[in-house]
Amino acid sequence: MDKTIMVYTLIITVGAYIGSLFLNRKVPSPLTHPVFVSTSLIIFVLILSNIHYKEYEGTKDMLSFFLGPATVGIAVPLYQNRAILFRNIIPSFAGVIAGSIVSITATVLMLKGLHLSSELIRSMSLKTITTPMAVEVASIIHGDTILTAVFVVITGMLGAMTGPWIMNKMGIHNPLSRGLALGVQAHGIGTAQAALEGRLQAAIAGVAMGVNGIFVSIMAPIIIPWITK
Amino acid sequence: MKRKVTTVVRIAIQIVFLYSLNELGNFAVEAFHLPIPGTLIGLLILFILLSAKVLPLQWVEEASSLLLRHLSFFFIPIAVGLMSYGDLLLHQGWLLFLLILISLWIGIYTTGKVSQFLVREKESNQE
């Protein structure tokens, strides 16, 4: 019985993704971003078929398995673009750390100002780091791990959907800067988006995602419990 | 057809290799109580192996570019988890959505402007 549901949900998931890729190619727009379209479609079908998220977890675990090897694989574009990265090491690090601190501070201040629960603040403060890392850190700082993962993916999705557009508006045209911003704010999904702009952007986004991940993983357990006391 | 099968097998082997580096990273984190995620150690090990020319690029290139191209796919099932938070979404959904968007744009602006400014400074100094 469980196996049938898993095969069914796996087919729905793969089908939704392939379909959304085609849609995005035909109608390129932030609103047709594959993650956004697939997620909405899958939730819709699961509710219609009366399948609870618990029963979907087999498929989730199976696909999440690939996040680890995929993250390790970022070493390849990183290696291929190492010369440009090393030449711009200071602007890159400064951009990543500044963006990371400003964005997390803004998040925590807004949530505190609205008097939302400290568990919500803890879970949301990790939203810019990639899922395998965010989940580990969330359990250290007693956040809700599932909620953290969901915030991470929504952030990545919104970052990939609106990032290129808002950067055009803001006058951020340097390919290095565009890759950095996407990697810091939208982690893996941003890196995939950056890959559409070019291999350099993808490599830089991968680096930004990694550096930001290390930075937040080290700082969050020290600072977040203290400000959400 | 035969060619397709060998490509699939080759990519599968490469993924298994990337996965073992990931596990090696996790193991190192546990053994030495490192405060960083295991996948990053795996990434670092692979980068060092490639830089030291111990590992030829072709051994991991195909799998890495395939996984990277479809990286967002693997996040989709996690986003579907949203359906378990219907209550939270109903009450604070729009607010949280807006909060994420604002902090996201502030962060993009900061990273983009700071790095772009420093890159230009550097380039004008070199001229």
Side-chain angles (χ1 to χ4, degrees):
Chain A
M1 186 60 202
D2 270 347
K3 277 244 159 55
T4 349
I5 289 188
M6 190 167 155
V7 171
Y8 176 65
T9 56
L10 192 63
I11 291 171
I12 291 170
T13 308
V14 175
Y17 179 66
I18 294 173
S20 67
L21 284 183
F22 273 110
L23 178 69
N24 188 250
R25 199 165 299 162
K26 288 261 176 233
V27 194
S29 142
L31 285 176
T32 59
H33 191 280
V35 177
F36 177 62
V37 174
S38 309
T39 305
S40 317
L41 200 65
I42 295 165
I43 292 181
F44 184 70
V45 174
L46 290 185
I47 291 174
L48 273 192
S49 339
N50 217 355
I51 294 174
H52 198 264
Y53 187 63
K54 272 255 166 298
E55 298 167 285
Y56 182 69
E57 267 175 353
T59 297
K60 187 199 87 179
D61 292 340
M62 189 181 146
L63 295 179
S64 300
F65 165 88
F66 290 95
L67 281 174
T71 309
V72 173
I74 289 171
V76 170
L78 179 58
Y79 169 73
Q80 290 167 324
N81 292 277
R82 64 196 180 289
I84 294 173
L85 177 72
F86 288 142
R87 222 179 308 139
N88 293 290
I89 198 112
I90 293 169
S92 305
F93 268 86
V96 170
I97 305 297
S100 186
I101 293 174
V102 168
S103 142
I104 294 177
T105 311
T107 308
V108 173
L109 286 182
M110 284 190 285
L111 288 170
K112 281 206 120 173
L114 292 162
H115 303 290
L116 293 169
S117 78
S118 66
E119 192 186 40
L120 195 67
I121 300 179
R122 285 168 193 214
S123 310
M124 212 170 180
S125 64
L126 303 171
K127 68 185 171 51
T128 57
I129 61 176
T130 188
T131 314
M133 303 182 189
V135 170
E136 280 179 54
V137 182
S139 62
I140 298 173
I141 65 170
H142 305 292
D144 179 337
T145 50
I146 301 178
L147 198 54
T148 301
V150 170
F151 281 140
V152 166
V153 180
I154 294 177
T155 303
M157 185 178 85
L158 288 175
M161 284 166 79
T162 66
W165 169 79
I166 199 84
M167 286 193 286
N168 289 343
K169 295 261 173 224
M170 289 169 172
I172 299 164
H173 300 301
N174 185 295
L176 180 103
S177 299
R178 289 176 76 91
L180 284 174
L182 281 172
V184 174
Q185 293 301 324
H187 55 89
I189 305 177
T191 304
Q193 184 70 36
L196 297 178
E197 297 200 357
R199 286 190 68 80
L200 166 69
Q201 285 90 326
I204 296 292
V207 179
M209 165 174 121
V211 173
N212 185 44
I214 300 176
F215 178 67
V216 176
S217 304
I218 294 172
M219 297 310 282
I222 303 168
I223 295 172
I224 301 295
W226 178 68
I227 43 177
T228 55
K229 231 185 329 203
Chain B
M1 186 62 201
K2 201 174 165 206
R3 202 126 152 233
K4 260 202 172 135
V5 172
T6 38
T7 310
V8 169
V9 171
R10 204 168 52 231
I11 290 178
I13 293 172
Q14 292 183 2
I15 292 178
V16 170
F17 177 69
L18 291 174
Y19 176 74
S20 28
L21 284 178
N22 185 53
E23 286 304 292
L24 188 66
N26 284 332
F27 173 76
V29 165
E30 253 182 55
F32 303 107
H33 302 286
L34 301 172
I36 42 176
T39 38
L40 268 180
I41 307 276
L43 194 161
L44 225 59
I45 296 173
L46 181 57
F47 183 74
I48 292 168
L49 288 178
L50 289 170
S51 302
K53 313 265 180 216
V54 175
L55 188 80
L57 188 57
Q58 305 92 279
W59 283 27
V60 285
E61 201 180 5
E62 271 170 300
S64 144
S65 91
L66 180 79
L67 288 176
L68 196 62
R69 202 160 52 239
H70 296 289
L71 191 52
S72 40
F73 171 62
F74 306 112
F75 286 100
I76 291 170
I78 301 169
V80 174
L82 204 61
M83 65 187 280
S84 323
Y85 292 93
D87 228 33
L88 178 76
L89 276 180
L90 224 52
H91 294 108
Q92 294 160 334
W94 277 109
L95 192 64
L96 295 177
F97 208 72
L98 201 67
L99 270 175
I100 291 179
L101 210 56
I102 294 172
S103 61
L104 188 74
W105 288 358
I106 294 176
I108 287 180
Y109 184 80
T110 312
T111 302
K113 286 291 176 183
V114 167
S115 61
Q116 194 165 271
F117 173 76
L118 292 174
V119 168
R120 283 184 187 157
E121 280 287 291
K122 216 175 132 260
E123 280 167 1
S124 63
N125 280 345
Q126 279 164 353
E127 269 160 24

